[in-house]
Amino acid sequence: MQNVLDLLRQGRNSAVDTLLELLSIPSVSTDPDATDDVRRCAQWVADRLTSIGMPQVRIIDTAGHPIVYAEDLSAGPDRPTVLFYGHYDVQPVDPLNLWTTPPFSPEIRNNKVYARGATDDKGQVFLHLVALDALRRANGSLPVNIKLLIEGEEEIGSPNLAPFVSKHADMLACDCVVVSDTSMFAPGQPSIVYGLRGLAYLQIDVTGPNRDLHSGSYGGAVQNPINALASIIASLKDEHGRIRIPGFYDDVLELTVEERDDLAALGHSDERLKSDVDVADLFGEAGYTSIERLGARPTLDCNGILGGFTGEGAKTVLPSKAMAKVSMRLVPHQRTADISAKFIDYVKSVAPPGVTVTVTDLHGADPVLVPRDTPAIHAAVKALGETYNAACRFTREGGSIPVVLLFDTVLNAPTVLMGFGLNNENAHSPDEHFDLDNFHLGAEAAVRFYTYLAAPTA
Ligand code: BES
Ligand code: ZN
């Protein structure tokens, strides 16, 4: 293996240069104007797979953005087959004015690369391609059979990949799945995530009078959509952080005593979290520690709100419309479809008179727990431990990756969530970045992972 690691180290600069190319493509999946750029990004990924020697690279069209798929099964039937999953799409970049440098003009500062998608997920996908390239160049072949599935719709809930996985279960059959799209518990502390939350994301539209009104001439006689929306939002949670939607907690799997002990032993610091985000107090559901609330308890948050006059100065107006986007993070065994239905019923039931309220389900993801005792996890623990020279942590994360549950239920394959990001690298927010040490160490860990998976005693 040393020859592979040597090759990786020699190729560090050129790997970063190539990563910058990928990061300069604005593949914002939710933006209808970016469709061509998203496709250009798929093409870039496909070309890259070809250039690192993957046979049979395909760009597969869907009703939305394309899937990039490639496989190399030449390691043979005696070797395990790994499905690598990642995404090349990224989140929107607004507010643009808060970026130090433009989001698609990647720049390296302080050994970190700044760009939208740097950590989520282009940098983390690319480090696997770097690892596979080095393995093939050093040894002439790969130690495992590999299938690569890299999609362009993860950030919008994988609406087309989910049916694709179900339809092509045979093609995707594998012994395990590996994903690098999560965070490490802390710098220098490699982590395997064994639980991801799910998501239900909805939009509430409140419509009152047929036009904006003078608030003096009409205020007091006509319901104000913003006031109505505010009362709806306020009724979603109580002052202890409990969600008031009937039946919301019915299917929540409680943490076991052992899990609570394990999470407590991670050494999470509320003080560090407060200073990281610069707040005087933390807030969340009473009765749970913040590390429990972050990974293993459901939440409800308003993600955006719109209505009325928001320009400089004052305008006395009673607006016609108001809108809010609300998301709920879910935990096993909640289901996104069930929670969305309960949310819609509840919002309708608390809507005040005098306005029309419509609720639209935008997208979602089911939560997942992955097994912690599989050959792939053992290979990852060994690979991460050796690479970082530190014990590997097992954590649960608050984010969602929609298709991971399907790898379990449809492919019947255990997933390893082996991430190299850090939670304060500003994923989904301005100045997203990825630590280049973790990029390079991630590639080394991936080399070790694929190698140990093929030969656990190597
Ligand atoms: N990489 C994240 C998921 C993630 C974030 C895992 C933080 C662990 C920690 C992923 O790309 C993501 O952001 N997913 C979306 C999915 C949603 C749009 C269905 C999310 O969690 O908001
Ligand atoms: Zn991601």
Side-chain angles (χ1 to χ4, degrees):
M1 183 152 53
Q2 194 54 46
N3 56 338
V4 191
L5 298 176
D6 289 345
L7 212 58
L8 266 188
R9 284 173 197 154
Q10 287 156 20
R12 281 184 166 197
N13 290 343
S14 108
V16 171
D17 287 345
T18 315
L19 172 63
L20 300 189
E21 278 180 33
L22 172 59
L23 292 176
S24 65
I25 307 174
S27 49
V28 181
S29 48
T30 197
D31 179 0
D33 294 331
T35 309
D36 291 347
D37 287 321
V38 178
R39 178 167 294 273
R40 189 154 63 83
C41 195
Q43 186 67 55
W44 190 97
V45 172
D47 290 346
R48 189 69 209 157
L49 294 181
T50 304
S51 75
I52 64 166
M54 289 298 299
Q56 303 184 30
V57 179
R58 288 156 59 196
I59 294 180
I60 300 168
D61 284 326
T62 72
H65 300 302
I67 296 164
V68 182
Y69 182 74
E71 57 181 39
D72 181 349
L73 308 181
S74 57
D78 297 338
R79 295 290 177 87
T81 298
V82 187
L83 174 67
F84 170 81
Y85 164 77
H87 63 97
Y88 67 81
D89 66 320
V90 300
Q91 286 269 331
V93 297
D94 62 294
L96 193 54
N97 61 322
L98 295 185
W99 287 77
T100 307
T101 48
F104 298 109
S105 304
E107 192 177 274
I108 296 167
R109 301 192 288 275
N110 258 335
N111 201 38
K112 302 170 189 6
V113 57
Y114 284 79
R116 171 58 86 232
T119 181
D120 184 9
D121 181 31
K122 289 173 172 176
Q124 298 207 56
V125 167
F126 192 65
L127 67 86
H128 280 266
L129 307 192
V130 171
L132 293 171
D133 181 37
L135 279 162
R136 192 192 300 279
R137 281 194 293 126
N139 300 334
S141 63
L142 301 180
V144 290
N145 300 301
I146 188 135
K147 301 180 175 182
L148 299 167
L149 179 67
I150 304 171
E151 71 151 322
E153 297 192 320
E154 194 274 347
E155 298 289 7
I156 52 171
S158 302
N160 291 295
L161 188 69
F164 180 88
V165 170
S166 300
K167 194 165 163 210
H168 298 282
D170 286 346
M171 177 177 96
L172 300 173
C174 58
D175 297 298
C176 67
V177 183
V178 60
V179 181
S180 291
D181 191 21
T182 50
S183 306
M184 313 203 310
F185 177 68
Q189 299 190 4
S191 315
I192 291 176
V193 170
Y194 71 94
L196 287 169
R197 287 196 290 196
L199 184 74
Y201 199 120
L202 298 101
Q203 175 168 328
I204 306 174
D205 284 278
V206 180
T207 307
N210 62 2
R211 60 190 191 277
D212 285 5
L213 304 173
H214 190 296
S215 67
S217 313
Y218 291 88
V222 177
Q223 176 67 276
N224 179 322
I226 300 181
N227 295 3
L229 179 59
S231 86
I232 292 171
I233 292 173
S235 70
L236 292 169
K237 274 167 116 166
D238 71 15
E239 71 272 28
H240 307 295
R242 284 281 292 188
I243 294 152
R244 295 170 67 184
I245 300 168
F248 182 87
Y249 292 95
D250 282 358
D251 299 316
V252 169
L253 181 68
E254 291 293 330
L255 282 160
T256 63
V257 174
E258 193 193 359
E259 268 185 301
R260 294 189 90 162
D261 289 346
D262 283 355
L263 288 175
L266 286 171
H268 167 87
S269 153
D270 281 358
E271 291 311 313
R272 209 160 44 218
L273 177 56
K274 280 194 247 179
S275 85
D276 175 26
V277 300
D278 207 1
V279 294
D281 297 296
L282 298 178
F283 176 75
E285 187 186 5
Y288 297 89
T289 64
S290 56
I291 183 92
E292 292 169 351
R293 299 197 306 258
L294 284 170
R297 295 297 299 171
T299 62
L300 183 151
D301 281 290
C302 195
N303 297 103
I305 187 159
L306 198 71
F309 177 69
T310 56
E312 289 261 322
K315 179 188 182 198
T316 44
V317 62
L318 194 164
S320 157
K321 290 177 189 307
M323 183 274 276
K325 311 236 183 206
V326 179
S327 72
M328 291 158 283
R329 294 283 171 179
L330 311 178
V331 298
H333 298 297
Q334 291 176 300
R335 284 288 167 266
T336 183
D338 175 61
I339 293 296
S340 295
K342 287 175 173 159
F343 179 91
I344 293 171
D345 286 349
Y346 179 70
V347 168
K348 295 252 159 106
S349 77
V350 296
V355 286
T356 309
V357 176
T358 57
V359 190
T360 315
D361 187 356
L362 295 182
H363 65 223
D366 284 321
V368 64
L369 281 175
V370 300
R372 290 167 60 162
D373 189 15
T374 64
I377 295 274
H378 298 160
V381 166
K382 190 169 168 191
L384 290 167
E386 274 178 21
T387 305
Y388 281 87
N389 204 12
C392 179
R393 311 285 184 133
F394 280 88
T395 61
R396 286 175 71 158
E397 283 270 16
S400 312
I401 306 178
V403 294
V404 173
L405 182 69
L406 297 184
F407 297 145
D408 175 33
T409 55
V410 176
L411 302 184
N412 202 14
T415 298
V416 180
L417 296 159
M418 171 171 94
F420 301 98
L422 294 169
N423 275 337
N424 62 3
E425 288 183 326
N426 290 4
H428 298 200
S429 108
D431 280 350
E432 177 177 349
H433 56 277
F434 189 26
D435 187 320
L436 287 175
D437 282 342
N438 286 327
F439 172 67
H440 297 304
L441 289 173
E444 290 190 18
V447 161
R448 291 190 169 99
F449 171 73
Y450 293 117
T451 306
Y452 291 145
L453 200 59
T457 53

